[in-house]
Amino acid sequence: MQVQRPKLTFWERTYIPQILKGMWITIRHLPMKKFTRMYPEEKPKLLGDYRGAPTLVKDPEGRVKCVSCQLCEFVCPPKAIRITPGFRADQAFDSNVEKEPKEFEIDMLRCIYCGYCEEVCPEEAIFLKNDFAITGYKREELRFNKQKLLELGGVQPDSIWKWKYKGAPPPGTPIGPVRDGKPVEKKAAGH
Amino acid sequence: MAETVKLTIDGKEVVAPKGMNLIEAAKLVGIEVPHYCYHPKLTIAGNCRMCLVDTGMPKLDKDKKPELGPDGKPVIMFAPKLAIGCNTTVAEGMVVHTRTPKVQKAREGVMEFLLINHPLDCPICDQAGECRLQEFSVDYGKGESRFVEEKVHKPKQTKLNAKITLDDERCILCSRCIRFMKEVAGQDCLGFVNRGSYSTLTCYPGQEPKTNYDLNIVDICPVGALTQTDFRFEQRVWFLKETKSVCPNCSTGCNTVLWSREGVVYRQTPRDNDAVNQCWMCDYGRLNFKFINDPTRLTSPSVKSAVYGERVNLTWLEATRQITGKLKAAGTIAGIASGRATTEELFLFKKLVGDLVDIVPHTGEADGKLLQADRNPNTAGAKLTGCATGKLPEILEGIKAGKVKTLIVLGEDLDEELAKKLELLVVIDTLPTKATEHANYVLPGTTFAEKRGTFINGKNRLQRFNAAIPPVGIARPEWQTLTALLGASYAAIEDVFADMARTLPALAGLNLSKIGDLGVELKIEQPAVQPVSQAAEAVAK
Amino acid sequence: MMLELLGHLIKIAAVIGVMLGFVAYTVMLERWACAWMQDRIGPNRVGPFGVLQPLADGLKFIFKEDVLPHHVNKVYFCIAPVVTMIPGLIAMAVIPWGSNLPIAGHVIKGVIADLNVGILFIFAISSLGVYGIVLAGWASNSKYPFLGGIRSSAQMISYEVCLGLSVVPVFMQAGSLNLMKVVEYQAAHTWLVLCQPLSFFIFLVSAFAETNRTPFDLPEAEQELVGGYHTEYSSMKFAMFFLGEYAAMFVQSALMVTLFFGGWSLPFAPFNAPATELWVGAVQIGVFLAKVVCFLFLFIWVRWTIPRFRYDQLMALGWKIFIPLTIVNILLVAVVLALVAK
């Protein structure tokens, strides 16, 4: 394709008017308002759905919400998540949840903050919080373990209370019709 | 040839043997009819109602001839109600619809009922990923529940026996496990108690499954009600790589699948092979794979150093150089091979050692089903390659008498006294034993999960298995080690097999890919090592 | 004699000290100016308003690892930054910073070496600068530095010609090659920029090319050549190239002030004649430095405004336009001077 070049006048060809114009523009900006944010002192305002560091949360009763279903490990594009599944303690108040991660590691050097883990989590146990300045002096420091992730995550209000009302009834509960927590009496024959 | 009938399923012509049910007939033309309770190897219960299909027969006129419609085709009279595919046998001229809106709607109804009391435990359920309920929920589920009442609670996390965990809430009452225990395992011990919503699977009072085949009910359970206790919460199945393998624990050679992730084998399950194990395997074989990931595995060639008084690791090159040098200088070489070694390894071992060679028999009790008395998976292979000679007593006597001074051991143990009498003891093994402790040279081998090879089972069936995980440390498959000691130039296991096929008439014309996943029966003139048990047939009955 | 020598040493120390200080703060000014032009704040962390930033930069350069790639020619690789840096400093010897500084009966001249061929000395010395760059490009033994070095030598040699020819009319009018004399002529008459605008313009543009500044920074064009001739350099060696560039800018600015803008003089008494009092001398030095700063700012201003020229445009401008123009200019000035003399 032949590009039509505009015919330039003599002055345009010297570039001088354009250069002067450019210099006028730059000099005008010297006293203008500056847009720099003084970062460490002045934090950016993050929007509600900001995707910062992924964290693990507990429900208001202190259960670790994660049940190590490993869907996040599966969906994680950079394979930053590594879960070692384990059991909940037998006599613990949350033993009806059965499963809990023995170890839950997120390699923050690998994490790309895509939020797939949060999206895929069936238990709403993993949240991308607002922490964005994740730094450390060693690679190991940036392998966040379960404890660290729970510290970062804190407690998340729970509207469903899935595990509070769910799971095995206490041992000794009779199998059969139950109403208001009590077994329903069998009706007499012919009634 | 059995009598056949012609029918039409979803517009496809099917020729099926008489007496076949509709699920199997549909399978012939690649149509899947969803089902939970039906299992091809068990009796038909017909209680899950998932396999509902629309069936119709040609309308017959007065002469019992199909009445033809205006288009010249037989007029089809459809049944007013849907029929269950599992318990409806094929009939001449039958027309079956498996995907009409009517069928779809019926199945959606069935799914909704099945899910009413299902706890939706998927995040903590080991079955997730291979759960029929999950799969059919995708096809026929509503995606939401209309059931606002509280679900029925049943016992969870209970132990059916030491090997199996039962979660009654997840159970959809298909009764596969009950039928299996009664019909195949031979112990009638499971049943349902209570009625309606409260139906619960449980053991008969005072009983629990205690056969050698209990874990098969975990395999056939379509949901997560029955799970294997020692696989519980170990790994999600979608992370596991499936490798077709063969169980190395007895001469039946059940076809198996090894489930591994990143060099760790997590479980072993049976693989369908009607000629060997149908779709079952015994618990003894299923659970006996933990040695693969044993932390004490031998990882590097080593030599008992005279200078340091302890074991010193060697490179393969150095180990091979030293051993071949010493073997050349040695007089008579004796060899003790293992019936657990692959046919290829035994073939090479025979080449390396010569005539003075035998395998060590390992026996146990046969159970009349799958488990054989001969616990070596490859005794027939040893016979075929000439490694099983019955000279073991002679060799041991020779060592005692000091006549045999050089011994190569492949995957077997040796008494301390005998080991001490030898001048040169080379042991190829995977785990430390008395023999490796006293061996001059230890060469690390690989387990069946880490190499390729073939076994010949008690019925002279040649079966192939594949490598699921990489070897530990710098250990390598025994055939490579033996190739190096022989100074041979086999580049791959295929080359060894090719050489073997040239040498042994029974294998003529075969190669590894021709064996296939299901194996081939060999024509061997000599009688099989063990009387062939009627394993599969016994199980089928 | 000893006193005179001591005086010279002090003068040299003062000139080098002040000049390096200016160089350091020109970098500072550049970072600030470019930030302001882009509506940013610029360095503001080190010291009040960030004024200690050059110190931090210097420290950083000193403590950085000095990487010596294995593929370089080690001797020339190490010499090159020095060769680039030194001419800038030496050239300052003949530039008059002030007229006189009368102290306690002694009159100290405002120039280190009052040569009668000052301008020739400057051209001779500053043309050595190209050696450093060519050496760096060649000794790096790496393609981008090599291309940078080649471009640089062609560019600097071309514009050296323009630079030399463009100032001929100035000396024809002032009647001397001694820079002190040129300044005194301007102080007595008028700033030569008014008489020789074409000369000044060509000199200005050529100065940009000589110092490898935008829009003629082809030798170090980041987008094409990574960093040009100093790609392989790090730590203090890199810093010396950096300082060399700014020192050259300082020299060129000082030269323009001296040749066209009356040097240390202001067009009114008592600053339009060599000083006889100490304070006048001191103010004249200040005037000179203020004028230089203006030019330094011009350099920076242009850099953050104008994009880079293409290489062929650069060469065409030098050889096809400026050289003919300067020759015509010389002839015209000669004719005019001859007519005026009559």
Side-chain angles (χ1 to χ4, degrees):
Chain A
M1 195 178 108
Q2 191 81 35
V3 177
Q4 282 298 321
R5 292 192 179 278
K7 197 107 178 95
L8 300 179
T9 62
F10 172 77
W11 280 111
E12 279 171 343
R13 269 189 290 148
T14 60
Y15 295 132
I16 289 169
Q18 283 81 359
I19 287 171
L20 292 179
K21 215 161 140 188
M23 289 174 76
W24 168 237
I25 288 171
T26 44
I27 202 75
R28 257 190 328 172
H29 274 269
L30 280 189
M32 277 190 186
K33 186 178 177 293
K34 308 303 176 202
F35 291 94
T36 306
R37 175 190 293 125
M38 306 304 290
Y39 162 61
E41 297 91 23
E42 195 190 326
K43 300 279 190 238
K45 282 200 186 74
L46 304 177
L47 297 176
D49 50 0
Y50 182 81
R51 297 198 307 254
T55 61
L56 289 178
V57 300
K58 290 186 174 179
D59 76 0
E61 290 195 353
R63 293 180 190 87
V64 175
K65 287 186 92 182
C66 173
V67 298
S68 66
C69 74
Q70 295 179 288
L71 278 177
C72 49
E73 180 175 352
F74 182 68
V75 80
C76 182
K79 301 199 188 303
I81 301 179
R82 187 43 69 106
I83 299 168
T84 315
F87 296 81
R88 302 242 173 186
D90 255 350
Q91 299 304 320
F93 77 103
D94 60 354
S95 65
N96 64 324
V97 186
E98 299 185 38
K99 206 176 171 190
E100 155 172 33
K102 204 188 295 167
E103 189 46 88
F104 193 118
E105 271 194 349
I106 303 184
D107 189 340
M108 295 308 299
L109 291 168
R110 286 191 147 218
C111 177
I112 56 168
Y113 305 92
C114 63
Y116 281 11
C117 48
E118 180 177 344
E119 200 176 316
V120 81
C121 183
E123 299 289 335
E124 300 191 347
I126 192 162
F127 281 85
L128 266 65
K129 293 258 162 133
N130 283 347
D131 311 270
F132 55 86
I134 309 291
T135 55
Y137 289 102
K138 286 179 187 155
R139 283 171 182 275
E140 291 76 53
E141 282 175 39
L142 290 169
R143 293 181 69 85
F144 286 6
N145 60 12
K146 183 182 164 192
Q147 192 197 346
K148 168 101 181 168
L149 291 167
L150 283 170
E151 271 168 29
L152 287 174
V155 171
Q156 189 76 13
D158 193 336
S159 55
I160 301 173
W161 293 97
K162 177 175 173 185
W163 292 104
K164 188 173 180 179
Y165 303 111
K166 173 169 183 168
T173 310
I175 299 165
V178 176
R179 194 162 296 146
D180 303 328
K182 284 178 193 155
V184 175
E185 295 291 321
K186 275 192 183 143
K187 285 173 187 165
H191 191 67
Chain B
M1 191 68 201
E3 220 179 317
T4 57
V5 292
K6 255 191 200 167
L7 69 161
T8 313
I9 302 179
D10 286 352
K12 286 182 186 168
E13 287 263 307
V14 185
V15 180
K18 206 168 188 181
M20 187 181 243
N21 67 35
L22 289 180
I23 293 181
E24 294 297 321
K27 220 183 270 174
L28 292 179
V29 285
I31 295 168
E32 195 200 11
V33 178
H35 57 269
Y36 294 112
C37 68
Y38 170 71
H39 191 280
K41 305 291 182 203
L42 299 174
T43 54
I44 291 165
N47 60 10
C48 77
R49 318 310 289 180
M50 195 62 197
C51 58
L52 288 171
V53 290
D54 204 0
T55 58
M57 290 300 287
K59 188 179 179 187
L60 300 181
D61 58 16
K62 280 175 283 185
D63 309 328
K64 304 265 173 176
K65 290 265 168 62
E67 198 177 293
L68 296 183
D71 56 350
K73 285 178 183 166
V75 177
I76 304 296
M77 299 290 283
F78 277 96
K81 286 184 175 179
L82 301 179
I84 49 173
C86 61
N87 211 11
T88 309
T89 46
V90 293
E92 188 65 40
M94 191 185 234
V95 174
V96 182
H97 292 317
T98 70
R99 288 173 201 167
T100 51
K102 191 178 173 188
V103 172
Q104 175 83 15
K105 197 136 186 288
R107 287 182 189 159
E108 279 171 10
V110 171
M111 267 317 288
E112 196 169 5
F113 272 120
L114 286 176
L115 290 172
I116 274 181
N117 280 320
H118 192 79
L120 301 181
D121 266 352
C122 306
I124 58 164
C125 177
D126 276 330
Q127 190 82 1
E130 51 182 13
C131 173
R132 306 295 275 171
L133 202 58
Q134 276 186 334
E135 286 165 21
F136 298 140
S137 282
V138 174
D139 296 338
Y140 304 105
K142 281 179 72 74
E144 58 183 32
S145 177
R146 290 191 282 171
F147 190 71
V148 293
E149 292 79 7
E150 203 186 337
K151 297 193 176 202
V152 172
H153 287 299
K154 294 181 195 171
K156 288 177 82 76
Q157 320 178 46
T158 53
K159 298 260 175 293
L160 200 60
N161 65 16
K163 294 179 274 191
I164 300 167
T165 304
L166 167 67
D167 187 316
D168 264 314
E169 285 191 349
R170 294 177 192 156
C171 176
I172 58 163
L173 308 167
C174 71
S175 80
R176 272 183 178 185
C177 49
I178 298 174
R179 280 174 282 148
F180 175 85
M181 290 310 292
K182 200 154 109 186
E183 297 161 13
V184 181
Q187 187 198 359
D188 187 5
C189 63
L190 296 178
F192 293 130
V193 294
N194 293 327
R195 286 199 60 179
S197 290
Y198 306 98
S199 260
T200 306
L201 172 72
T202 188
C203 300
Y204 292 174
Q207 283 200 42
E208 61 170 35
K210 45 190 171 193
T211 70
N212 194 21
Y213 294 87
D214 302 341
L215 282 171
N216 288 300
I217 66 176
V218 173
D219 293 334
I220 59 173
C221 181
V223 293
L226 296 166
T227 49
Q228 191 176 330
T229 304
D230 81 337
F231 179 63
R232 192 168 149 83
F233 301 168
E234 283 287 316
Q235 274 302 324
R236 307 300 276 182
V237 289
W238 54 74
F239 288 120
L240 300 177
K241 184 180 79 171
E242 297 165 55
T243 310
K244 285 172 183 160
S245 187
V246 172
C247 173
N249 290 302
C250 82
S251 64
T252 299
C254 290
N255 289 211
T256 60
V257 176
L258 287 177
W259 302 73
S260 62
R261 183 187 186 193
E262 292 175 350
V264 179
V265 176
Y266 285 94
R267 67 172 179 180
Q268 188 174 219
T269 56
R271 174 160 60 92
D272 287 7
N273 188 344
D274 282 348
V276 181
N277 57 320
Q278 300 201 341
C279 55
W280 319 117
M281 77 184 288
C282 73
D283 296 355
Y284 167 77
R286 182 197 296 256
L287 298 175
N288 192 11
F289 67 90
K290 300 285 164 69
F291 62 90
I292 296 168
N293 301 118
D294 195 306
T296 63
R297 281 280 301 274
L298 301 169
T299 56
S300 165
S302 64
V303 60
K304 193 164 77 182
S305 165
V307 183
Y308 302 109
E310 52 190 35
R311 298 220 149 267
V312 178
N313 284 350
L314 294 176
T315 59
W316 276 108
L317 213 62
E318 183 60 19
T320 311
R321 195 184 61 77
Q322 290 186 12
I323 296 170
T324 43
K326 290 198 175 166
L327 285 182
K328 256 179 210 150
T332 333
I333 305 173
I336 298 178
S338 169
R340 290 180 291 238
T342 68
T343 319
E344 292 80 4
E345 287 158 14
L346 290 167
F347 173 72
L348 295 176
F349 193 73
K350 173 77 179 174
K351 264 195 173 185
L352 179 70
V353 177
D355 283 337
L356 205 54
V357 62
D358 197 9
I359 61 164
V360 181
H362 291 278
T363 52
E365 211 174 302
D367 67 356
K369 292 187 179 108
L370 289 173
L371 189 61
Q372 302 293 321
D374 179 9
R375 296 293 163 85
N376 278 334
N378 203 17
T379 310
K383 272 259 179 198
L384 186 70
T385 52
C387 276
T389 55
K391 285 183 183 166
L392 189 61
E394 189 189 320
I395 295 169
L396 298 180
E397 280 307 314
I399 299 170
K400 250 180 224 161
K403 273 190 276 181
V404 174
K405 294 202 171 98
T406 308
L407 181 69
I408 307 178
V409 179
L410 176 65
E412 291 290 352
D413 202 356
L414 196 64
D415 278 347
E416 206 169 341
E417 295 158 37
L418 291 175
K420 279 181 178 165
K421 288 207 164 172
L422 290 163
E423 275 176 15
L424 177 64
L425 174 59
V426 178
V427 178
I428 307 174
D429 209 341
T430 55
L431 284 163
T433 59
K434 279 272 173 313
T436 59
E437 199 180 306
H438 293 283
N440 300 80
Y441 289 95
V442 172
L443 303 174
T446 47
T447 64
F448 72 106
E450 293 150 343
K451 64 187 170 196
R452 297 170 67 205
T454 57
F455 287 149
I456 303 175
N457 79 358
K459 289 165 98 183
N460 287 333
R461 189 177 188 84
L462 180 67
Q463 303 194 97
R464 182 184 73 180
F465 59 92
N466 303 301
I469 56 173
V472 290
I474 59 167
R476 62 188 193 188
E478 285 85 341
W479 71 264
Q480 288 183 3
T481 308
L482 292 168
T483 302
L485 291 181
L486 275 169
S489 57
Y490 305 116
I493 187 91
E494 280 84 355
D495 300 337
V496 184
F497 194 92
D499 198 8
M500 198 159 73
R502 274 194 295 274
T503 318
L504 304 172
L507 300 176
L510 283 174
N511 61 37
L512 274 183
S513 39
K514 271 190 194 162
I515 297 172
D517 289 332
L518 299 180
V520 291
E521 197 99 12
L522 296 180
K523 302 271 180 297
I524 298 178
E525 299 300 323
Q526 59 198 328
V529 184
Q530 292 279 328
V532 178
S533 80
Q534 305 300 308
E537 287 83 344
V539 170
K541 282 170 199 163
Chain C
M1 185 62 203
M2 276 300 289
L3 204 65
E4 211 172 306
L5 190 64
L6 193 69
H8 276 302
L9 284 178
I10 291 170
K11 263 203 299 200
I12 290 169
V15 165
I16 290 181
V18 171
M19 184 172 161
L20 287 182
F22 262 75
V23 163
Y25 275 89
T26 313
V27 179
M28 185 80 249
L29 180 67
E30 171 130 34
R31 294 176 66 174
W32 269 331
C34 92
W36 295 333
M37 286 174 188
Q38 296 164 354
D39 293 341
R40 292 185 287 113
I41 292 177
N44 67 342
R45 292 279 154 177
V46 192
F49 304 105
V51 291
L52 297 180
Q53 186 68 38
L55 219 66
D57 286 349
L59 275 177
K60 184 198 78 171
F61 276 129
I62 289 166
F63 287 115
K64 260 192 152 178
E65 187 188 353
D66 193 358
V67 180
L68 196 65
H70 69 90
H71 54 76
V72 301
N73 186 322
K74 293 199 173 46
V75 177
Y76 295 131
F77 187 80
C78 296
I79 289 175
V82 184
V83 175
T84 315
M85 174 80 185
I86 297 293
L89 298 178
I90 295 178
M92 284 314 289
V94 293
I95 291 181
W97 285 44
S99 52
N100 297 313
L101 275 180
I103 298 172
H106 295 280
V107 175
I108 300 171
K109 282 205 156 191
V111 59
I112 296 169
D114 195 10
L115 293 184
N116 53 7
V117 287
I119 189 67
L120 294 182
F121 177 82
I122 285 182
F123 285 147
I125 292 300
S126 68
S127 60
L128 281 176
V130 72
Y131 276 103
I133 290 172
V134 171
L135 261 186
W138 180 78
S140 290
N141 214 353
S142 160
K143 49 185 165 300
Y144 291 128
F146 181 71
L147 285 172
I150 294 284
R151 281 186 180 188
S152 167
S153 52
Q155 173 179 334
M156 289 177 85
I157 288 167
S158 311
Y159 279 84
E160 206 107 298
V161 179
C162 305
L163 210 60
L165 289 175
S166 69
V167 292
V168 169
V170 172
F171 296 102
M172 285 162 70
Q173 191 176 349
S176 170
L177 291 178
N178 185 322
L179 293 175
M180 201 63 160
K181 293 270 159 45
V182 174
V183 175
E184 279 168 16
Y185 173 85
Q186 293 182 77
H189 298 86
T190 175
W191 290 2
L192 283 169
V193 68
L194 300 175
C195 310
Q196 310 287 353
L198 188 61
S199 277
F200 168 66
F201 179 73
I202 293 172
F203 190 94
L204 180 70
V205 176
S206 303
F208 278 99
E210 270 302 284
T211 51
N212 296 328
R213 293 283 299 187
T214 321
F216 305 118
D217 60 341
L218 292 107
E220 47 188 286
E222 295 90 344
Q223 294 88 337
E224 310 148 37
L225 299 182
V226 189
Y229 55 87
H230 56 55
T231 302
E232 304 285 352
Y233 284 88
S234 56
S235 182
M236 248 350 249
K237 294 206 188 78
F238 171 76
M240 279 165 93
F241 279 117
F242 208 63
L243 291 180
E245 179 182 324
Y246 283 89
M249 256 166 77
F250 191 89
V251 171
Q252 298 293 351
S253 300
L255 211 52
M256 279 186 278
V257 169
T258 308
L259 295 177
F260 298 101
F261 285 83
W264 40 258
S265 72
L266 282 176
F268 50 84
F271 307 112
N272 57 0
T276 47
E277 281 173 79
L278 181 59
W279 72 272
V280 177
V283 168
Q284 282 173 337
I285 292 177
V287 166
F288 170 78
L289 289 177
K291 290 176 180 173
V292 168
V293 168
C294 290
F295 273 99
L296 287 175
F297 182 75
L298 180 71
F299 270 100
I300 292 162
W301 184 9
V302 168
R303 171 164 178 193
W304 295 103
T305 304
I306 305 173
R308 189 178 304 127
F309 274 83
R310 251 186 2 243
Y311 199 68
D312 60 318
Q313 290 174 322
L314 171 86
M315 283 315 208
L317 184 70
W319 291 104
K320 290 189 188 163
I321 298 171
F322 281 177
I323 289 179
L325 264 183
T326 47
I327 291 169
V328 170
N329 192 26
I330 290 168
L331 288 176
L332 281 178
V333 171
V335 170
V336 170
L337 284 180
L339 290 177
V340 171
K342 257 184 193 166

